[in-house]
Amino acid sequence: MAKLEDLPRLIQSQDWATAERVLRKAAQGKSASAEVFYNLAKVLEQIGKPEQRAAWLKRAVARRPDYALAWFELGRIALEDGESDAALKAYQKAWEGDPSDSDARRMVARLSLRLGRWEAAERALQDDEDTEAMMLRYRIAAEMGDATPALRDELLQDAATRPDALRTLTRVAKGSVSLRLPQLRT
């Protein structure tokens, strides 16, 4: 009979059925850790039982409220179910649990933007300088009625990102899009 210490080998060999049995047995104990619940949820996802994931992830965060990995997965599930508010809350918990998790932070920004929570989106983007962050900042500024010509021109400078920039500009155009594009950098 496999034991919990065999779990890394079972996962490495993708022996999901045995991994599930080991984790279910470990999860029965009163001292079962949040990691056991989380790993069981991930194994269930691998073997095609995704409907059971949320219950185990909720047990993981009940056991350890700052468990960022479990909160992130709960955010993924909420998104799959079309529950943007629940997803945002889960990603915020993931980010709080692990402030260095740039994926959780970026999901907070994206969902806040989708839900029209401009200030929250802006806070989540405050340390990012990549092209996506610039485009999201442009959208936030445009939605809030701020002047955006300098940021718009900066977005349109790069030939590689110009199609995405034009899509972003069009999304928030509110009836007018500048037809004079700046010269591309060479």
Side-chain angles (χ1 to χ4, degrees):
M1 182 81 187
K3 295 183 168 82
L4 195 55
E5 55 268 7
D6 297 329
L7 189 60
R9 179 186 53 77
L10 296 170
I11 291 172
Q12 178 71 27
S13 65
Q14 298 183 4
D15 184 353
W16 304 120
T18 305
E20 179 186 10
R21 281 194 303 277
V22 166
L23 286 163
R24 282 191 186 277
K25 183 174 181 179
Q28 291 174 358
K30 289 186 179 187
S31 63
S33 69
E35 290 78 10
V36 166
F37 301 141
Y38 171 82
N39 282 307
L40 180 53
K42 294 302 283 180
V43 166
L44 290 168
E45 181 178 22
Q46 286 297 318
I47 61 176
K49 297 180 182 178
E51 67 284 351
Q52 297 178 26
R53 289 181 304 165
W56 291 105
L57 292 166
K58 287 176 184 176
R59 287 181 72 176
V61 297
R63 180 66 42 100
R64 202 172 104 207
D66 67 340
Y67 195 15
L69 292 173
W71 280 114
F72 192 93
E73 292 300 317
L74 285 167
R76 284 184 53 225
I77 292 168
L79 274 181
E80 290 168 10
D81 294 342
E83 299 173 6
S84 297
D85 282 316
L88 177 58
K89 288 176 186 170
Y91 286 122
Q92 286 170 327
K93 291 282 196 178
W95 184 23
E96 289 168 15
D98 181 2
S100 69
D101 186 342
S102 60
D103 290 329
R105 186 170 39 79
R106 188 57 62 99
M107 290 305 295
V108 168
R110 291 177 185 136
L111 285 166
S112 295
L113 189 64
R114 181 186 297 175
L115 296 169
R117 298 175 186 161
W118 318 124
E119 292 85 6
E122 201 165 38
R123 274 191 308 278
L125 293 168
Q126 69 186 7
D127 296 326
D128 294 345
E129 296 301 328
D130 59 275
T131 302
E132 181 190 10
M134 287 175 48
M135 287 188 211
L136 293 175
R137 276 196 197 92
Y138 177 85
R139 286 186 58 198
I140 293 164
E143 293 290 356
M144 294 178 74
D146 297 340
T148 57
L151 183 53
R152 179 197 63 219
D153 291 347
E154 187 176 351
L155 287 173
L156 292 170
Q157 288 295 324
D158 186 355
T161 60
R162 188 176 264 188
D164 290 332
L166 287 169
R167 190 171 22 263
T168 297
L169 296 174
T170 303
R171 181 169 281 158
V172 295
K174 297 182 182 178
S176 66
V177 177
S178 172
L179 296 178
R180 291 184 45 190
L181 299 176
Q183 286 296 111
L184 292 174
R185 295 183 196 142
T186 55

